[in-house]
Amino acid sequence: MKISQKDVEHVARLARLTIAPEELSALTEQMDAVLGYVDKLNQLDTDGIEPMAHAVPMSNAFREDDIKPSIGIERALQNAPAAGDNCFTVPKVIE
Amino acid sequence: MNSRYEVVIGLEVHVQLTTKTKIFCGCSKEFGQFPNSQTCPVCLGLPGALPVLSRQVVDDAIRAGLATNCQISPHSIFARKNYFYPDLPKGYQISQFELPICEHGWLDIETQESGKKRLGITRIHMEEDAGKLLHNDGGNSSVDLNRACTPLLEVVSEPDMRSSDEAIAYLKQLHQIVVYLGICDGNLDEGSFRCDANVSIRPWGQEELGTRAELKNLNSFRFIKQAIEYEVERQIDVIDAGEKVVQETRLFDPDAGVSRSMRGKEEAHDYRYFPDPDLLPLQVSDQWVEEVRQQLPEMPTAKRQRYQGEFGLPEYDAGVISAERPLTEYFEALVKIYDQPKICANWVMGDILGALKDKNLSIAQCPITPELLGGILQRIGDNTISGKIAKTVFEDVWKSGKTADQVIEEKGLKQVTDSGAIESIVDEIIAANPDQVAEYRGGKDKLMGFFVGQVMKASKGKANPGMANQLLKKKLAE
Amino acid sequence: MTFQKLTIQEMRQKLISGQLTSVELTQGCLDRIKATDGQLNAFITVCEEEALAAAAEADQQLAAGNAALLTGIPVAVKDIFNTLDVRTTCASKILDNYVSPYDATTITKLRDQGAIIVGKLNMDEFAMGSSGENSAAGAVRNPWDTERVPGGSSSGSAAAVAAGQVVATLGTDTGGSVRQPASHCGVVGLKPTYGRVSRYGVVAFASSLDQVGPVAGNVEDCALMLGAVAGYDPADSTSVDCPVPDYLENLKAGVSGKKIGLPKEYFIDGLDPDIKKGIDAAIETYRQLGAEIVEVSLPHTDYSVACYYLIAMAEASSNLARYDGVRFGARQDSGDGLNGMYQQTRSAGFGDEVKRRIMLGTYALSSGYYDAYYLKAQKVRTLIRQDFQHVFEQVDMLLTPVAPTPAFKIGEMVNDPLQMYLSDIFTIPTNLAGTCAMSLPCGFSEDGLPVGLQLIGKPFAEAEMLQAAYAFEQATDWHKRAPEL
């Protein structure tokens, strides 16, 4: 096994997902199958090969420091599940 | 200094830049606007929106790097730091992780306890700020994303500081540098210059670092000092009690003067950094670095040395004037008008700074421009007014904004240099004070001050004191 | 009145000459959607009112003699494009009620060219899938056989064109999501070179692989649509600042003297006989058209699926973190605090395949596994791109199958995600390499299902690739067949 149910539960917490207990073993198996498959990359020697983060090798895309109009409070909040006082409202955050 | 433990401090400073716009979008970042009024799809993290890097932010980062003796990386990249928090719209912060723009810098500081010392700067990287989370009285919190995506430089020091004094000296110097560079307004209250401190202790002689606590929410130099000192004592108590210091984040409460642990309320972080595929690698050429270097202002240390050398100012004066860039600009403009640096320094440090302090104004708000002050000093220099009258002129110029010449003319403050006019006053004074004249002639030389004073008083301060002195001496000797 | 036999150019001529109005054309298009979409489920949102209003406006422009490239032509776009004041759901429950406050750059470009956007097309949720079954709006069906999948993830984009609902659409292609459904539906679909078309406003799946691509009934319309949306966009740092050629100008240049490579790794023994037959015939056609056919090798092909899924899932896990129920989206909150809200919203909002990919991507980036999975995949990606660089020193373009089999039955692969991933083997490598590729019809299976041919061009050589496609299309009539609905 490449991944255990405990690992899957840990990853779910990191990703803010809940996995129903009855789905856990099937998901673990599916993830294990994919991780087992991608293991084939280890057949390749990649020492000294540069990793590729972009499809086209380019650098330096900039914008100038010029103000563009914002979209406005109403637009900003138009899809908010909960809002008040021009702010998005979320369950209490405890620090 | 503790006799048993050595204190080790490393600092992470977030410097908010003074750009007009946010780091990855064109929204204004003006402070104090309505919540969420300065937002767009990019800084709201709406589906499909993409970041584009502000060139100005890169310029500012290079500036900061050069001013702190860093190497500027020819190749650097942006990475995503993944975590969930309501003030972080995209669920990741765009930052730099591997390959930051500046590395391997240092600052020289001086403290009373340890003298001169060089402190290492590990790295400076660019990143976006999060929004603001406001805790409501009810069962919820509010999110304002005006600050989201505001450009920050994070300046990470080596754990080179050994006392709170060293930490403060480092912070003050860094603060002075970024404000001097004009890349940060330096406002600690508004969060433009924020500091986290990593504090640990270890027995003297031990090489290995102790377990550190990260102190957050430090928004004044005084609180930083308090928080570090509190933390050092706390860790000593923990170790003395036979317990172990745990690695944790602690929040300093300036009202209570204590810090409390955030442990238990934060889970173990796994930020899953990876290069941001939406942003291209950054290539900074030597030519770019040189262009920025050419535009760098003269930094405080260099200025201080020049003021001592070129202008012959005492070390103290040079230090006071070079502390703030606007003050140096004022001073240098003044010296251009009136080429007596020491006299200029005296007026700037005494009259100008004193008056500004009384009225709670900054040098930028000073009603007397260098040109106006230069005008006053020129009239002293050419004997049009006395030093004493000059104080009156200064006050009038401050209030009215008129030139020294206008004030002198309108109020008739021109010094009397006509020897006939002064002579008649001297004669009157000698006639009116026979007792003192007798005592003086009897050998009491000190009375000369009295006579000069009387002449000045009778002339309403306008008599040239030198001429009054001469005439008195001559007449009293007759 | 139906217009589904007309090409864009024919519509354009009729509009300009006044034989037809945009309102008539748009109404005809809406009627066709109404008549057929019950069977296909190609649309998530139909913008009837907005479309007719825009058509009336277009008619005024046409009357005034102001015809841009697409003035008055009804088109539709995948529901992954942000469209101002219109629902943009990405076929996900989590965006069910999401109304975008802005237009994607490509949408702005379509509007600037006068196109009428009649609706938003169904797809696999967040573009994750190869069948059109992973949609909160229900599975899309293949117009040639409604028991079968249309391919994915731009399922509606291909099905709608095949069914004559609209003349052309936009989709997105991350690992074959334009080409594979185009192939399964018997239409033309093109994935441009990465950076050719702006991604701004296109909901991200895997940022370093995603590219917008057009789907149309023929090569010329596809070229026209590409020209309308291509070009540098300062709002997308990864878009490339190089001039956009007129793709229609030399479309008839032919393929005589061109060298076309057949990568041997794509012609494996297990290839479906229907596919093999179509491709072999296509190779012969190209030979007759004067192209030189040579065998070449892309040695790392076999690693591309593994490489692709690691990169795509890792990027997706981060791209999909913003769906947290704070600023938009369908929040679920039973009062278990902030983390409870996050977990409930995301667990209820995302479908199974999306969750699976977020999980795998999160794992691949997590502490201790980054080097073994993500970094390794990025290095293998370099090798795969080098393969393409090498073959493009030998040949002008490549010819391959699009998919290993024709469209499969709905439900056939739902429980075997890995098998589904493997069906993308022929389309994925070009996304990894960043180069351009397209799918065009080259035959039909025994069961009457379309078979597609893939051309892979050099980076930014879309014009050359389109010329080869056009030559093939002129020599065959596969594109003229239409499904009966």
Side-chain angles (χ1 to χ4, degrees), chain C residues 4 75 83 94 100 113 119 152 158 174-175 202 233 255 314 333 393 427 431:
Chain C
Q4 65 260 34
V75 299
T83 40
I94 210 160
S100 183
Q113 292 295 343
T174 305
V202 181
D233 179 8
V255 287
D333 184 9
E393 285 164 11
T427 47
N431 295 83

Side-chain angles (χ1 to χ4, degrees), chain B residues 224-236:
Chain B
I224 294 165
K225 190 168 159 63
Q226 279 178 13
I228 291 172
E229 284 164 7
Y230 174 84
E231 181 58 23
V232 169
E233 289 308 314
R234 191 191 68 83
Q235 291 187 12
I236 292 173

Side-chain angles (χ1 to χ4, degrees), chain C residues 92-161:
Chain C
S92 181
K93 268 200 273 185
I94 210 160
L95 286 179
D96 185 48
N97 53 5
Y98 184 71
V99 175
S100 183
Y102 76 107
D103 270 338
T105 300
T106 38
I107 298 299
T108 305
K109 283 182 174 253
L110 283 182
R111 295 195 205 274
D112 287 350
Q113 292 295 343
I116 311 298
I117 295 167
V118 297
K120 308 290 293 286
L121 296 156
N122 205 349
M123 55 186 280
D124 284 299
E125 184 180 2
F126 285 105
M128 296 180 189
S130 314
S131 70
E133 295 164 291
N134 302 330
S135 167
V140 188
R141 290 166 183 274
N142 192 317
W144 294 90
D145 177 353
T146 53
E147 295 302 306
R148 290 181 185 266
V149 302
S153 66
S154 305
S155 322
S157 303
V161 172

